[in-house]
């Protein structure tokens, strides 16, 4: 039996139930869900911006759901502002689309790389974001999610993009 590296990052208890209820709500409202994530790379320090949510374990790339009437790029800009006080100073570069089979059988995530941005202020903890910050590529925080590590390997390690998040 193979070990499942994603298992440690699955939601359990109240947080897991809450996440499943939210997902059920979105399934009923939108038969297919679409999300977006951004890898923000500070080229000067060779670091990436990661967040840790209050309601799911692990460090991950910022992002979230695409709302009705939004483009992927608009959703990305909104999520980066909400989760990191980050503003795009040039269009983000679309890298890949992934099926997020761990969320549901109908969830997809658009993935972007951002190297031109500004951060208006450090992101302070709030009801959604427990911690956020830039981390050097050679010193990512313990608990970085497998999906985040895969995207980083695809961008910086030359790995082929996986069709799965």
């Amino acid at each position: 039996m193979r070990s499942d590296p994603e298992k440690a990052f699955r939601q359990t208890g109240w947080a897991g139930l809450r996440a499943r209820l939210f997902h059920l709500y979105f399934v009923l409202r939108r038969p297919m869900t679409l999300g977006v994530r951004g890898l923000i790379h500070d080229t000067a320090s060779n670091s990436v911006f990661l967040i840790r949510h209050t309601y799911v374990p692990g460090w991950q790339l910022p992002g979230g759901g695409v709302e009705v009437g939004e483009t992927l790029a608009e959703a990305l800009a909104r999520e980066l502002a909400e989760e990191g006080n980050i503003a795009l100073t040039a269009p983000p570069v679309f890298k890949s689309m992934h099926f997020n089979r761990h969320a549901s059988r109908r969830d997809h995530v658009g993935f972007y790389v951002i190297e031109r941005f500004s951060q208006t202020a450090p992101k302070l903890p709030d009801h959604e974001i427990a911690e956020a910050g830039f981390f050097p590529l050679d010193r990512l925080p313990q608990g970085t999610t497998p999906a985040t590590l895969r995207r980083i390997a695809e961008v910086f390690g030359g790995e082929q993009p996986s069709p799965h998040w």
Side-chain angles (χ1 to χ4, degrees), residues 8 10 15 18 23 29 41 44 51 57 95-96 127:
R10 291 215 178 94
R18 183 174 71 167
H23 197 78
R29 243 181 124 229
H41 180 223
I51 60 168
K95 293 302 275 186
S96 49
H127 69 282

Side-chain angles (χ1 to χ4, degrees), residues 6-164:
E6 302 281 347
K7 185 175 182 180
F9 297 94
R10 291 215 178 94
Q11 302 162 358
T12 60
W14 168 244
L17 176 61
R18 183 174 71 167
R20 284 190 294 281
L21 290 172
F22 272 114
H23 197 78
L24 176 61
Y25 166 77
F26 284 115
V27 165
L28 295 173
R29 243 181 124 229
R30 297 180 264 177
M32 182 159 302
T33 55
L34 180 62
V36 65
R37 296 273 178 168
L39 188 153
I40 301 156
H41 180 223
D42 182 349
T43 56
S45 65
N46 199 29
S47 61
V48 293
F49 185 78
L50 300 176
I51 60 168
R52 192 173 61 78
H53 283 107
T54 58
Y55 52 89
V56 293
W59 287 92
Q60 53 197 286
L61 300 168
V66 178
E67 298 296 332
V68 174
E70 270 185 327
T71 66
L72 290 170
E74 290 167 343
L76 179 65
R78 176 181 49 76
E79 290 289 345
L80 296 180
E82 290 173 4
E83 296 185 348
N85 295 327
I86 291 175
L88 300 171
T89 58
V93 176
F94 180 78
K95 293 302 275 186
S96 49
M97 181 64 74
H98 305 268
F99 172 44
N100 189 4
R101 63 185 172 194
H102 294 291
S104 79
R105 295 179 308 161
R106 54 184 30 145
D107 189 52
H108 292 79
V109 179
F111 175 59
Y112 287 84
V113 173
I114 299 103
E115 291 186 331
R116 296 180 64 194
F117 63 92
S118 65
Q119 188 176 37
T120 57
K123 177 61 179 171
L124 299 176
D126 59 25
H127 69 282
E128 182 184 4
I129 305 299
E131 296 180 83
F134 283 91
F135 296 90
L137 284 171
D138 61 354
R139 290 192 311 274
L140 297 174
Q142 184 173 0
T144 300
T145 65
T148 299
L149 294 173
R150 283 192 295 274
R151 299 298 82 78
I152 290 171
E154 291 164 4
V155 171
F156 299 108
E159 297 288 326
Q160 285 294 330
S162 168
H164 301 283

